[in-house]
Amino acid sequence: MLRFVLTRVGLVIPTFLGIILLTFILIRLVPGDPVQVRVGERGITEERRLALLHEMGLDRPLHVQFFDYVGGVLQGDLGISIITKKPVMVEFLTLFPATLELAFFAILFAASIGLPLGVIAAVRRGSAFDHTVMGLSLTGYSMPIFWWGLLLILLFSVDLGWTPVAKRLSDDYFVDQVTGFMLIDTLLSDDPMNEGSFLDALHHLILPTVVLGTVPLAVIARMTRSAMLEVLGEDYIRTARAKGLGSIRVVAVHALRNALVPVVTVIGLQVGTLMGGAILTETVFSWPGIGKWLVESIGRRDYPALQGGVLVIAALVMTVNLAVDLLYGLLNPRIRHRR
Amino acid sequence: MPLLEIRNLAVEFQTHRGPFRAVDGVDLTLEPGELLGVVGESGSGKSVTMLAVMGLIAWPGKVTADVMRFDGIDLMSLSDSDRRKIVGKDIAMIFQEPMTSLNPSFSVGYQIMETLAVHEGGSRRERRRRTIELLEQVGIPAAASRLDSFPHQLSGGMCQRVMIAMAIACNPKLLIADEPTTALDVTIQAQILDLLVSLSRERNMAMVLITHDMGVVAETAQRVMVMYASQQVEEQPAERLFEQPRHPYTAALLEALPERALEKRLNTIPGVVPGIADRPSGCVFNPRCNFAQERCRIEQPLLEPKLGARVRCHFPIRGDVS
């Protein structure tokens, strides 16, 4: 087991170097530089432009910039944002809870609906329910999420007026950022003006959660169904029935336990998709999280912010995938006991 | 009162070509403590017959019977939940592939204790004690230390012993063993078979032994039922069946045993078992039968008592029983 973990961690280093190199090059391939973007159409003298570039250290040869950056990263320094002049790590940590909160609810939403739907669809395979669920999940999976978000806003926010259009909290409230998780911060706030802010925050979460959770929901439902179908045909399911167990116990304990291994993998893999989806969802809903920040950083050619943000997200995705691999062992004794 | 009484059992599945009868007109009576062998080729309906008794034929399979009574209880009219109170407790079943018949995600101790919990309740400690006792009874060494083992850590023979322990956990009156030794090594086969027979004797537990191994039947069964192409073709006490089979299929089957081969070349039955779509009219065995006549091709024989056996044949083999 220890060897397994070490091998996996060993793989992380080359992956990181690749990610750093890729983001470093890609963002510099985008036309324009931070200075040009900032001055806009007014123009600037060539002299002043070069002076500003020199100030940012962007006039040095690319490889020097790269090794300088890698050197910083190795010491835990992600650099300083060109625009806000704040350390990238600080920026990231300030905004990340908003994304994490959204992603957590999205995956919770996706798993709590997708798992039962997939299980029932498998148990009643070929039924109208099965066909409906699979048809809907294919639709959900194929839906471009920015468009899906806009559709939901049109229906629920604009036409019906049930949900807020954007942001994490109504303008009526002002909640100090303590943990960064709005649901917790609103509860922590003892300002009488903020009464009801918790429900308001929850209210703001609904639509973004649904939008971000749609693709994972579809994937989880389909994966659960196919894993369950395979397991339900196994000999040990017949044994469980022959023991006189009720059908709920047979499905929920004997079958689901074995079907969970591939499903948990898929849920783990969705974390990557979720981060990608968060960028679109946060942009649509003006959600002040990492996704929106990254998109803005691209617009502002804020090289350190973008590089740092992508790197930390990549680290998170890899950590989750590693955790999922370790979780296998708990779910599947055949893996646990293998040397 | 017989322990198990079945009249005219049929199991039907819907196929692309219309309904198909996997079991057709099986009559069966089993006394308490009796050991019945059910023989037949793969696909002859042996397992499906017994799965129907267990109530394990899944939709869209359809089970019909004039009578299906176990220990005085009418199984056909029983609700699913009442049926489950009998299945696993009074009627238990073990299967052909012990390695895949146990759930890989749970320890063997858990799987046995689960049966006890469902049917008998009792405290956790009591169940644990009882499980160790059961594992010892089926000949698993160091039983207490095996409780937490997972199926993949045990050999096929050990897994089958665990399956047996699970099956006998609630002292069933009937144990159905569906080819319990087919997937095991030859040396282990005899051990498992001995174990089953001795358990059956000790506990006065009736047993249905499904097999395609005539040798196994000869050694263990008191009575033998022979199945061919969904139908029961013959039934006799074991000794008489081996001495004087009445149905031409049974006779051909016995002649095909290597032990009985008198010449260098092994006797075989010409042709193959008819498939789902090409069941012949008249007697199902007529295309392969050496004694088939015009009547056999037209009229389906009934399962009737003839010459001291129950046989489904117009012209059962005569011949004296010494």
Side-chain angles (χ1 to χ4, degrees), chain A residues 280-318:
Chain A
L280 295 168
T281 312
E282 288 179 2
T283 306
V284 171
F285 288 94
S286 299
W287 193 264
I290 294 301
K292 190 158 163 284
W293 175 62
L294 282 178
V295 171
E296 285 164 3
S297 296
I298 297 173
R300 297 191 292 226
R301 307 292 188 277
D302 192 343
Y303 297 164
L306 192 74
Q307 287 166 184
V310 171
L311 192 63
V312 179
I313 289 177
L316 284 170
V317 171
M318 278 191 280

Side-chain angles (χ1 to χ4, degrees), chain B residues 5 33 35 65 68 101 104 106 108 127 146 159 177 188 197 202 220 223 230 243 251 293 306:
Chain B
E5 197 182 355
L35 214 162
M68 185 147 78
S101 292
F106 297 97
V108 297
R127 287 201 293 272
R146 282 294 178 195
C159 281
I188 309 294
V197 172
E202 280 165 24
T220 54
R223 205 146 49 87
S230 310
E243 208 167 297
Q293 300 183 24
K306 280 177 186 167

Side-chain angles (χ1 to χ4, degrees), chain B residues 7-23:
Chain B
R7 293 282 162 268
N8 196 21
L9 172 75
V11 181
E12 206 170 80
F13 292 97
Q14 293 298 324
T15 68
H16 302 297
R17 298 197 190 95
F20 166 68
R21 291 205 150 189
V23 174

